[in-house]
Every structure is written in structure tokens, then in C-alpha cells.
Amino acid sequence: MGAQQAMELIIRRARLAEGGVVDVAVSGGRIAAIGALPATLAATTQLDLRGEAWLSAGWIDSHVHCYAASPLYHDEPDRVGIAGGVTTVVDAGSSGADDVADFRQLASGAQTRVLALLNIARTGIRTQHELADLAQIDADAARRAIADHAGFIVGLKARMSGSVVGDNGLHPLRIAKAIQRDNGDLPLMVHIGNDPPRLEEIADLLGAGDIITHCFNGKPNRILTPQGEVRAAVTQALARGVRLDVGHGSASFSFEVARQAIALGLLPDTISSDIYCRNRLQGPVYSLAAVMSKFLAIGMTLPQVIACVTHQAADALRLAGRGRLAVGAEADLTLFTLTDAPQHYLDADGASVHASQHLSPLAAVVAGVLYPTDTWSAEYVC
Ligand SMILES: [Zn+2]
């Protein structure tokens, strides 16, 4: 980087969650420099966060629903993405082999990076019980879709709760594991909820590369025993490398379970929203930032929370080059504030916690392009 070379974007005096204040320069859509930059370095757009606002690698929401044409759970990618400071959204199974091409086409106009976990049911979530008919799981169709949409499909999704699988018990999960093995061991996200099947039976089938979503749901089939201990099968699964994803959603997040789990040393690997239009507009999700703020309120630190939406999310979904601030990496960044203001947050069961701080996204930067949110302030522009 020569001092004479004009940058596209320079962000000065940005706070980092892990400590310190840095400048970041962007050129050619990539991070050109991180550190204290010369005051003379020129850029098309110059911002100064004055050591007040924060910067991290771009936030990745590992579990959203943003297939706009899906009948049950749908949204626009940019509403759950850049509008909330989120640079990458991962749609968790809204589409299957039959409609992933349509989803990809619809999502291609978004400024937010959109990726998909392919539902093992070829119809995706067109109904609430997509795995109740095993004929809907077509391994050949899944293989063709994964090959046709490499780079867009980054993993698989299987919803393993009673209302979804009907009388099929663990069969859909066994088929999902076979599809995973036949397709390069893609990450497999498994939704848990009401039994059957029981969580122990699900956990026993999972291994490294698999992700349990709705990990802190408050339903009886939760990760904790009635005595408040972590179920042994869950502990064993985590030891094998299974990851925990929050997937807050409309019915799948309990402060009580999250608090107890965290007290037992069980932190989530990824904090995700399971957002779609209804729980975005009417709650209890609202935004990824709101879900992250809930974890600050129950005792996780800012670096822990940011890790769950940056490098840990990139690692869980094997998104090479994402989730880290590094020279040469694609310039995906999130600018945000952490405000001291009393606020109440509700979980999916109607329980509330008092929070003293909350996170607000100021802007998303995707490949070096700045997308301000509603809370952006022109004061930051030099
Ligand atoms: Zn979901």
C-alpha cells in the first residue's frame, strides 16, 4: 500500500471488542490496511468513529429465513441483512432441491451476502411438516442441487421435532447424515424442539460438523434435564465437535435455559436470530443486534458475543475468508454502538430480563461498500 494510493474507504478510530482503537483502509473491496494510518492517506469516503463507535468483521447471521416466496417463513434478505448491520445471512432450510434455484435467483438482487442451508425435504419449508413424508427426501435431487449451487448452498438443514417429522422418528436424520456423507461432509444444522424424537437420540447421531439450532429452547425436550444439568448425550455430542447455535425465533429461546447453560460453562458457538418478517416486526426477535444484546444482558462479554457472529460463525459454516479482520480479506465489516440505556428484553416464552446496555448497528460494509442503517449518524463522516 503506497501512501499516494487513494483508498475507497477509510474508517478511523474504530473501537474493537477485543480492545484497542484502529483505522481500517479498504481498496478493491478488500481490507488494505489495519492499524494507525497516516493522516494524509486519502479515500473516496472517510469516516471517523472518534473512539466512540465500534467495528468488527461483518456480522454473520447463521440462521434466518429470507426466501421471499416461501409461504410460511419469509422475508427480504436486505431487511434481515444490511438494514441490521448484518453482512452475511444464512437461510436455514427455507428452500429444498425443488426451489433453491428460485430462492437463489430472488436473492441475487440483494446487497447482503445470502447463503443457504438446503432443506433435506425437496420442498423446503412449504408446510410445517416437511419431513412427515419420507418421499419428500430425495438424495439424488439434493446431490444435483448441491452441485448446481456450489458456493450458495453451504450446508444442510433437517428439522427434527415432532410436528415436522410426524411418525418418522429419527429416519429423516439418518438420511440427512447419509446425504451429508455423500456430499463432502457439508455442515448439517439440526433443529430441535418437541419430541419425538427425544434430544438424546438426536444428539447420539451427531458429530463434528453438525450444528444443533434452537439450543436454548425452553421446551421439555431441552438440553437441560429437569434437575438443571446438561443432558449427558449433549455433553458427549459437544465433545465430538457438535456446535450450538441459538436460533432464537418465535418459540425457541428461553433466558432461563440460556442462563443455566452459561452458568454450567456451555456457551453458544453461534448467536443467530431465526428471523423472518413476523418475528422481526412483532418480536420477540426484532434483529440480530437485539438477540446479541440479550446475551450481553445475561452475562456474556462483548468479545464473546461478537465472536459468535464473526469468526465462530465463519468456522461453523466453513466460510473461508469471512469473519476475521485481516489484510487481504474481503472488506465485510459491521460498525455499531454500545449504548448505556435501561431496557427490557423478552424471550420466546414471555420472560423478561433487564439490560443496561444494547447494541445498535450503524452500518454494514459489504465488499467495501458502505450501507448505513437507520441509526447512522452523519457526524461520523469526515
Ligand atoms: Zn428457522
Side-chain angles (χ1 to χ4, degrees):
M1 182 197 72
Q4 303 311 309
Q5 176 193 353
M7 297 285 135
E8 293 152 23
L9 172 66
I10 292 178
I11 304 165
R12 296 189 187 274
R13 294 193 289 174
R15 290 182 77 172
L16 298 178
E18 56 271 32
V21 172
V22 294
D23 305 332
V24 175
V26 174
S27 176
R30 293 184 176 270
I31 298 177
I34 306 170
L37 299 177
T40 53
L41 186 66
T44 314
T45 304
Q46 290 224 44
L47 309 178
D48 184 357
L49 304 186
R50 301 177 303 209
E52 297 162 12
W54 305 72
L55 173 147
S56 69
W59 293 353
I60 300 163
D61 193 336
S62 324
H63 182 164
V64 308
H65 293 281
C66 65
Y67 176 20
S70 182
L72 290 180
Y73 306 111
H74 52 86
D75 213 329
E76 298 288 340
D78 286 341
R79 292 195 189 276
V80 297
I82 55 170
V86 177
T87 57
T88 299
V89 294
V90 182
D91 181 278
S94 304
S95 68
D98 287 354
D99 50 7
V100 68
D102 183 54
F103 172 37
R104 186 180 192 179
Q105 172 64 29
L106 284 179
S108 65
Q111 311 304 322
T112 309
R113 295 186 197 271
V114 182
L115 302 170
L117 303 179
L118 184 78
N119 199 309
I120 61 163
R122 58 185 306 156
T123 50
I125 310 179
R126 207 174 291 163
T127 68
Q128 196 55 267
H129 42 81
E130 74 267 17
L131 299 178
D133 175 4
L134 292 178
Q136 296 294 340
I137 313 175
D138 183 330
D140 290 332
R143 186 183 315 119
R144 283 193 298 275
I146 292 163
D148 289 350
H149 301 285
F152 180 68
I153 295 174
V154 296
L156 301 167
K157 176 81 184 287
R159 299 203 306 154
M160 293 300 300
S161 54
S163 55
V164 179
V165 302
D167 298 330
N168 288 326
L170 291 170
H171 283 303
L173 183 55
R174 293 203 177 92
I175 303 170
K177 292 295 291 179
I179 294 173
Q180 179 188 38
R181 272 195 302 277
D182 292 346
N183 291 277
D185 282 321
L186 288 171
L188 167 64
M189 181 181 279
V190 176
H191 142 135
I192 61 169
N194 288 317
D195 60 357
R198 287 186 306 112
L199 178 55
E200 283 90 342
E201 301 174 289
I202 294 170
D204 283 346
L205 291 178
L206 303 182
D210 298 334
I211 301 162
I212 291 175
T213 191
H214 308 314
C215 66
F216 298 144
N217 79 73
K219 295 162 186 170
N221 197 32
R222 63 177 103 180
I223 60 168
L224 303 176
T225 65
Q227 292 72 39
E229 291 158 350
V230 181
R231 292 183 194 276
V234 171
T235 303
Q236 290 155 13
L238 297 178
R240 293 194 297 275
V242 173
R243 289 176 162 93
L244 296 179
D245 175 64
V246 170
H248 184 305
S250 303
S252 300
F253 178 69
S254 157
F255 280 129
E256 183 197 342
V257 173
R259 264 200 175 117
Q260 285 187 56
I262 289 169
L264 294 167
L266 215 61
L267 292 172
D269 291 286
T270 50
I271 294 177
S272 67
S273 62
D274 192 13
I275 198 167
Y276 72 108
C277 61
R278 195 170 337 136
N279 67 28
R280 171 170 61 80
L281 295 168
Q282 298 170 14
V285 174
Y286 298 111
S287 67
L288 180 63
V291 177
M292 293 161 67
S293 299
K294 293 178 186 186
F295 281 90
L296 291 177
I298 59 171
M300 278 175 69
T301 65
L302 183 66
Q304 287 173 334
V305 167
I306 296 296
C308 286
V309 298
T310 56
H311 63 265
Q312 288 175 203
D315 291 350
L317 295 161
R318 299 185 205 144
L319 308 180
R322 304 267 175 90
R324 286 175 173 84
L325 290 178
V327 172
E330 283 181 305
D332 286 9
L333 309 168
T334 299
L335 314 187
F336 59 98
T337 56
L338 181 62
T339 315
D340 291 317
Q343 191 161 338
H344 282 277
Y345 286 108
L346 292 178
D347 68 10
D349 301 329
S352 79
V353 296
H354 176 81
S356 56
Q357 293 187 307
H358 67 268
L359 289 161
S360 299
L362 288 172
V365 175
V366 182
V369 180
L370 181 78
Y371 298 99
T373 68
D374 287 347
T375 53
W376 175 250
S377 166
E379 289 172 33
Y380 295 122
V381 181
C382 297

